[in-house]
């Protein structure tokens, strides 16, 4: 077996004019004889020998056939001493062709999908970007559905996602910076921003953090990048927003945000973000401002209820004598043989287990699973005394509020807060609940996303921006970009 350290040092060499040496090195580095999908072809065109390398399944057969068919018509003597330049400018009529001297760059190119054409008596090779990836068609994302609006969504292919964004922003200042992350995976990443809008310091900070990532590969794509960018891994609240909608991505670019596209992921990271970015949905901007404001208020109330409703009910149920007569119906007449706190915790764990089971259940059986959980397990749990009707009712209301949250990651964070408040309220009663709320507020207060306060525009206070968050202002009334992003151009055209 080859020594990995020597292999890495060898890959930093340049090509030589000896075709046989170049081909032998590439065959060994790419594992041509060990991997069935890495192909090498020995070719002769115009009396000159060539070596063609590509990965089966990633290269377009029709493009390869057209190029090789044309080169086969070359006569001896047509190719001069500067063969590579002549092929590049005259005989290969494909648009995406480049010259490469470095072996490591050439190997990475082949494994990424393009074809590599090594030429006799030349210390340069041609890289022909005739790659194609297995891809699904752009479909509306399940999490961010709207009643009216575009039905296209990002896919797992980087270039498709950047094209969907450019279709909506034809601004010449839109930048798509390319880089690779991962010593072995060499995953393609693109940083997107409007050059004359986004804060230059913000762009540089994100670029530098990405360049400092040291890891073998990115099997979890953008989620791994998020953990490297922020390193606040024990804070449950998301510090970036994910979106699978090109229109949402374009809106945030116009505001001055920076987007991070990762190949193999259908989600795009929006940075930086605040708490209020996670509670807005595209549906609000597909309706009239009054309707959008109403939908936003309902969502705010649902999210607040999902966090504090169950702990508040537990406090009331533990001390029914303090409940006003008109609220007496929410206190259970019989608490059952199991303490209410244990019942609530069991119900919380049960609903999370049901959610995970639904994810792993085939679609054809998902309905049956829901019926089993709702009718059989819930009813039997009440009949045998494991749970009370009130626990199931208030947990169901909390779950509805959680699923009303547009950001899936933010909804999971609220679930962690709810369970924490539930335990504190059950063990320490009102003092525990108030302490939990205070700690929750402090956590949000001191959380920052790339130096952006998480509670802005509430803290630090910005009245105009907070009003826009609360009432969903009409689009013509928006004249300024978010001040907290320090945009180069603060005024919306």
């Amino acid at each position: 077996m080859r020594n990995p350290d020597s292999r890495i040092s060898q890959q930093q060499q340049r090509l030589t004019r000896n075709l046989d040496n170049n081909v032998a090195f590439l065959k060994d580095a790419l594992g041509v004889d060990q991997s069935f999908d890495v192909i090498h072809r020995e070719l002769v065109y115009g009396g000159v020998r060539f070596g063609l390398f590509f990965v089966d399944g990633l290269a377009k057969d029709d493009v390869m056939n057209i190029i090789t068919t044309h080169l086969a018509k070359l006569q001896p003597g047509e190719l001069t001493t500067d063969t590579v330049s002549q092929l590049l400018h005259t005989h290969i009529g494909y648009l995406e062709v480049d010259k490469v001297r470095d072996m490591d760059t050439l190997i990475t190119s082949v494994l990424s999908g393009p074809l590599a054409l090594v030429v006799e008596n030349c210390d340069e090779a041609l890289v022909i970007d005739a790659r194609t990836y297995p891809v699904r068609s752009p479909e509306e994302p399940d999490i961010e559905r709207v009643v009216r609006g575009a039905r296209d969504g990002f896919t797992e292919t980087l270039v498709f996602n950047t094209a969907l964004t450019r279709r909506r922003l034809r601004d010449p200042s839109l930048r798509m910076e390319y880089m690779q992350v991962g010593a072995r995976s060499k995953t393609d990443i693109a940083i997107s921003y409007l050059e004359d809008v986004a804060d230059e310091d913000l762009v540089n900070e994100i670029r530098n953090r990405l360049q400092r990532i040291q890891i073998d590969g990115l099997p979890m794509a953008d989620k791994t990048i998020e953990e490297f960018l922020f390193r606040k891994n024990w804070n449950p609240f998301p510090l970036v927003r994910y979106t699978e909608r090109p229109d949402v991505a374009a809106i945030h670019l116009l505001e001055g945000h920076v987007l991070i596209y990762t190949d193999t992921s259908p989600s795009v990271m929006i940075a930086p973000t605040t708490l209020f970015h996670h509670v807005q949905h595209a549906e609000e901007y597909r309706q009239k401002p009054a309707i959008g404001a109403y939908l936003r208020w309902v969502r705010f109330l649902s999210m607040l209820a999902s966090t504090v409703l169950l702990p508040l009910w537990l406090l009331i149920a533990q001390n029914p004598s303090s409940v006003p007569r008109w609220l007496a119906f929410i206190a259970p007449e019989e608490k059952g043989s199991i303490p209410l706190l244990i019942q609530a915790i069991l119900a919380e764990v049960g609903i999370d287990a049901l959610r995970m089971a639904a994810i792993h259940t085939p679609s054809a059986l998902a309905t049956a699973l829901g019926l089993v959980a709702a009718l059989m397990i819930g009813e039997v749990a009440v009949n045998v005394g494991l749970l009370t009707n009130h626990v199931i009712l208030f947990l169901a209301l909390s779950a509805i509020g959680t699923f009303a949250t547009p950001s899936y990651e933010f909804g999971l964070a609220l679930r962690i807060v709810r369970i924490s408040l539930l335990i504190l309220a059950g063990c320490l009663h009102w003092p525990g609940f108030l302490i939990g709320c205070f700690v929750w507020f402090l956590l949000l207060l001191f959380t920052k996303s790339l130096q952006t306060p998480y509670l802005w525009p509430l803290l630090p206070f910005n009245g105009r921006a907070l009003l826009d968050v609360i009432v969903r202002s009409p689009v013509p009334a928006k004249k300024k970009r978010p001040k907290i992003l320090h945009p180069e151009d603060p005024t919306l055209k």
Side-chain angles (χ1 to χ4, degrees):
M1 181 177 293
R2 191 169 57 249
N3 186 346
D5 295 333
S6 64
R7 176 177 177 268
I8 293 175
S9 63
Q10 287 175 351
Q11 287 182 0
Q12 297 174 351
Q13 295 179 355
R14 293 179 176 272
L15 283 84
T16 67
R17 290 184 173 274
N18 190 311
L19 177 64
D20 294 330
N21 289 344
N22 292 337
V23 169
F25 178 84
L26 289 172
K27 290 177 65 175
D28 179 61
L30 294 170
V32 172
D33 297 328
Q34 289 81 31
S35 301
F36 77 94
D37 59 337
V38 182
I39 310 299
H40 164 243
R41 288 288 310 277
E42 295 181 358
L43 305 170
V44 178
Y45 298 124
V48 178
R49 293 191 301 143
F50 294 83
L52 178 65
F53 292 87
F54 62 93
V55 176
D56 190 18
L58 297 183
K60 296 179 182 178
D61 294 339
D62 52 349
V63 174
M64 285 195 297
N65 290 335
I66 294 174
I67 292 176
T68 54
T69 300
H70 176 76
L71 294 179
K73 299 178 181 178
L74 295 175
Q75 300 298 321
E78 287 192 52
L79 295 176
T80 62
T81 53
D82 193 3
T83 307
V84 171
S85 296
Q86 191 173 0
L87 289 171
L88 177 64
H89 298 295
T90 304
H91 297 293
I92 297 181
Y94 194 69
L95 296 179
E96 299 180 71
V97 184
D98 199 5
K99 294 190 293 186
V100 173
R101 290 178 178 270
D102 184 69
M103 275 290 189
D104 185 49
T105 304
L106 187 62
I107 291 170
T108 301
S109 299
V110 173
L111 296 177
S112 300
L115 294 76
L117 195 62
V118 188
V119 187
E120 183 181 17
N121 296 325
C122 293
D123 58 359
E124 294 177 320
L126 288 177
V127 174
I128 306 171
D129 194 355
R131 73 181 110 177
T132 179
Y133 292 139
V135 63
R136 60 182 175 89
S137 60
E139 299 173 353
E140 185 178 15
D142 292 332
I143 299 179
E144 300 177 274
R145 289 184 179 275
V146 294
V147 177
R148 295 187 182 277
R151 303 298 178 186
D152 57 346
F154 291 131
T155 68
E156 289 76 15
T157 305
L158 176 67
V159 67
F160 283 14
N161 295 342
T162 56
L164 287 172
T165 306
R166 280 200 179 273
R167 183 182 180 186
R168 287 166 169 80
L169 282 181
R170 301 174 183 178
D171 193 321
S173 69
L174 177 59
R175 298 291 176 259
M176 295 284 185
E177 294 187 12
Y178 171 81
M179 66 175 60
Q180 289 184 333
V181 174
R184 293 185 180 273
S185 69
K186 299 189 185 299
T187 304
D188 297 329
I189 293 177
I191 306 174
S192 178
Y193 58 93
L194 290 177
E195 188 176 32
D196 57 354
V197 172
D199 181 21
E200 184 177 358
D201 293 336
L202 173 63
V203 176
N204 291 334
E205 177 67 18
I206 293 177
R207 184 191 298 116
N208 293 335
R209 292 192 183 190
L210 289 174
Q211 291 173 346
R212 289 197 299 265
I213 293 178
Q214 300 292 331
I215 193 174
D216 272 355
L218 302 176
M220 294 293 107
D222 45 12
K223 185 57 184 175
T224 306
I225 292 177
E226 177 191 350
E227 295 183 5
F228 271 100
L229 282 180
F230 298 98
R231 297 186 180 276
K232 299 178 181 179
N233 299 324
W234 296 109
N235 187 336
F237 289 96
L239 300 181
V240 296
R241 179 181 176 182
Y242 292 94
T243 184
E244 297 182 34
R245 296 188 61 90
D247 49 2
V248 173
I251 289 174
H252 284 84
L253 284 172
L254 290 172
E255 289 183 348
H257 292 267
V258 178
L259 272 54
I260 302 174
Y261 297 77
T262 307
D263 194 33
T264 73
S265 173
S267 301
V268 170
M269 296 170 55
I270 302 171
T273 56
T274 67
L275 179 150
F276 298 101
H277 284 99
H278 298 280
V279 300
Q280 301 181 29
H281 191 268
E283 179 66 23
E284 299 161 4
Y285 292 91
R286 292 292 181 178
Q287 306 296 335
K288 298 285 287 184
I291 303 300
Y294 167 74
L295 295 176
R296 184 171 293 181
W297 295 340
V298 170
R299 182 172 292 112
F300 286 165
L301 292 175
S302 300
M303 294 170 59
L304 181 62
S306 72
T307 308
V308 302
L309 184 61
L310 189 58
L312 286 175
W313 171 82
L314 180 62
L315 290 171
I316 294 174
Q318 288 177 333
N319 189 14
S321 60
S322 63
V323 180
R325 181 174 299 179
W326 61 277
L327 284 177
F329 68 94
I330 68 174
E333 297 179 359
E334 297 181 3
K335 297 183 179 180
S337 57
I338 300 178
L340 291 178
L341 175 61
I342 303 301
Q343 292 186 38
I345 296 297
L346 288 175
E348 285 280 5
V349 174
I351 198 170
D352 279 332
L354 177 61
R355 177 181 60 84
M356 289 185 288
I359 293 175
H360 302 302
T361 302
S363 300
L365 303 177
T367 303
L369 175 65
L371 292 175
V372 169
L375 300 179
M376 297 181 62
I377 298 179
E379 183 177 356
V380 171
V382 172
N383 292 337
V384 302
L386 180 63
L387 301 175
T388 64
N389 287 317
H390 289 75
V391 170
I392 295 180
L393 171 63
F394 285 97
L395 180 65
L397 293 176
S398 299
I400 291 174
T402 300
F403 293 126
T405 308
S407 170
Y408 180 71
E409 294 78 14
F410 193 75
L412 292 177
L414 292 181
R415 185 177 289 119
I416 297 297
V417 173
R418 180 174 73 229
I419 294 176
S420 301
L421 293 178
L422 191 63
I423 295 175
L424 290 172
C427 297
L428 303 177
H429 303 282
W430 279 104
F433 177 77
L434 295 177
I435 291 174
C437 290
F438 182 68
V439 172
W440 177 27
F441 175 76
L442 288 181
L443 176 63
L444 295 176
L445 179 63
F446 289 103
T447 296
K448 289 187 177 181
S449 172
L450 295 173
Q451 307 306 317
T452 301
Y454 204 58
L455 288 181
W456 186 87
L458 182 62
L459 292 173
F461 182 76
N462 185 308
R464 182 187 296 271
L466 184 60
L467 181 65
D468 182 57
V469 169
I470 295 174
V471 302
R472 200 305 237 176
S473 303
V475 175
K478 293 184 177 182
K479 300 297 183 181
K480 299 290 185 180
R481 293 186 170 90
K483 185 178 180 181
I484 198 65
L485 296 175
H486 308 290
E488 300 288 342
D489 181 7
T491 305
L492 287 167
K493 301 298 188 292

